[in-house]
Amino acid sequence: MLTSPRARTFALTCAAALALIPSAADAAVRIGPDVTIPPPSNTPVVACLNACVPVAFSAPAGVELTAPSDGVITAVEYRGDFATTKLRIIKTSGSDVTFIRTGPARTATDGPIRSFAERLPIRAGERVALEAPANKASAFSLTGTTGRLVNTIPADDTTQASSPLGAFVPYVSALIEPDVDRDGYGDETQDQCPKDPTTQAPCTVAPVIVEIPGPTITQTVVTAAATPPGPVAGTPAVAKNRRSISVPVICPPSRPTPCTGTISIATASAVKVGATRVAVELGSVGFTARPGSTPTARIALSAGARALLTPGKKLAITLSLRPADGPATSRREVLRLPKKRG
Ligand SMILES: [Ca+2]
């Protein structure tokens, strides 16, 4: 062990007083002395004759290199004469040091404050140490601290005896981030999905269906009112005395109301009336029939109409039926005209 005062030009500052106080386990916590604050000038330093691991055994609260909670070490800062090192996670018992896990070989940044990124789990109560090569100082004498040395570089899962180092401790600080899903990645800078140990990428977001209340749309369907089945005119027949034409009116039984309307008969062709030829209406009559009945509508013929009926002949007529509640219909019929009696 080499111990020597080192000339310092920095202002006197107490690192312990400004060290961070451990915070709750749900946020990152930095342990160890605040290495950004230069140690007092003429602070003695320690370097090992051979490669070694300086260990902080006791230190004031806020300076000790002991994890207050489980997490992952994501960054390390230290002051020392060497850039290449390894992070060691240890436990102490009495003067023994048990080596638990080791980070990969790291090359820290140059400068008074060296740093490197890390990803190494640590459990509450475990301590942090750095491997130091031979003849390279890394331990500083800090008031109120007690350090010890493991004068070799032990493998993990071994317990080593340590030698006293007095008030010298490694000038190291480590940032511990929570690791809720225990995937070995710090939840603040290394793990974008701290609730899922199978991924460090952003969590998959399940779609959320949001129902927004709005006006109720009522569709109004307009349908035509059902047209009741209309009456149908039967075959017209001329009375033997040729004074009337009878027409059966068939009122469908499915009708909800009686059939009413008008039946009219006109000549189908123009006939000569005086000096002109016109279609002549022979007569018409109104009717009313109960649903399911077939009454006979009788159209009385005037003397003028009778004159158009030549006994024993045929006369083409247009039979028109105009229901009160439906469209009019008409059709052509041929009347057989009775012969003259006697
Ligand atoms: Ca994590």
Side-chain angles (χ1 to χ4, degrees):
M1 179 179 72
L2 300 174
T3 305
S4 64
R6 173 168 291 187
R8 299 287 180 183
T9 57
F10 306 116
L12 292 173
T13 310
C14 177
L18 296 176
L20 297 177
I21 298 172
S23 57
D26 58 355
V29 58
R30 186 174 289 277
I31 61 172
D34 185 353
V35 300
T36 64
I37 300 174
S41 60
N42 299 320
T43 296
V45 298
V46 169
C48 303
L49 288 174
N50 301 300
C52 65
V53 181
V55 176
F57 263 64
S58 66
V63 178
E64 57 189 0
L65 277 167
T66 305
S69 57
D70 293 356
V72 172
I73 295 175
T74 58
V76 176
E77 292 181 336
Y78 66 102
R79 286 177 182 263
D81 293 338
F82 52 90
T84 301
T85 185
K86 286 183 181 177
L87 183 65
R88 304 301 300 260
I89 305 300
I90 59 175
K91 269 195 167 182
T92 60
S93 176
S95 60
D96 289 341
V97 178
T98 298
F99 289 80
I100 301 171
R101 68 188 74 87
T102 305
R106 301 293 188 185
T107 300
T109 58
D110 286 330
I113 304 169
R114 301 182 184 275
S115 64
F116 59 88
E118 189 53 87
R119 188 175 72 80
L120 191 63
I122 190 169
R123 302 286 175 246
E126 295 176 347
R127 298 172 185 253
V128 169
L130 282 186
E131 293 183 359
N135 300 314
K136 300 294 185 182
S138 64
F140 292 72
S141 178
L142 296 180
T143 303
T145 63
T146 301
R148 298 184 73 88
L149 270 183
V150 176
N151 289 292
T152 180
I153 302 294
D156 286 339
D157 301 321
T158 62
T159 297
Q160 305 287 326
S162 63
S163 56
L165 196 56
F168 293 88
V169 290
Y171 212 52
V172 176
S173 83
L175 183 65
I176 302 175
E177 294 184 19
D179 182 18
V180 172
D181 56 1
R182 293 190 178 274
D183 61 355
Y185 289 82
D187 291 349
E188 296 187 1
T189 63
Q190 299 175 338
D191 190 357
Q192 299 183 71
C193 188
K195 64 182 181 182
D196 183 355
T198 65
T199 181
Q200 290 77 49
C203 300
T204 302
V205 179
V208 177
I209 299 175
V210 178
E211 292 188 1
I212 302 174
T216 300
I217 299 175
T218 302
Q219 183 179 11
T220 301
V221 179
V222 179
T223 57
T227 301
V232 178
T235 302
V238 181
K240 288 182 178 179
N241 60 8
R242 300 189 305 279
R243 291 181 179 274
S244 65
I245 299 174
S246 60
V247 181
V249 178
I250 305 166
C251 187
S254 59
R255 274 187 63 94
T257 57
C259 299
T260 59
T262 305
I263 287 179
S264 61
I265 291 176
T267 59
S269 306
V271 297
K272 188 175 181 181
V273 177
T276 61
R277 297 179 64 86
V278 293
V280 176
E281 182 177 290
L282 300 178
S284 66
V285 67
F287 66 87
T288 298
R290 296 190 312 277
S293 68
T294 308
T296 297
R298 195 173 305 279
I299 300 173
L301 299 176
S302 63
R306 288 201 302 272
L308 296 175
L309 307 181
T310 305
K313 299 290 185 178
K314 297 179 181 177
L315 179 66
I317 62 165
T318 298
L319 174 64
S320 297
L321 186 147
R322 294 180 179 83
D325 54 3
T329 60
S330 62
R331 70 174 189 266
R332 179 185 171 91
E333 288 279 350
V334 176
L335 295 177
R336 291 178 178 278
L337 304 177
K339 295 178 181 177
K340 228 174 203 175
R341 284 181 293 183

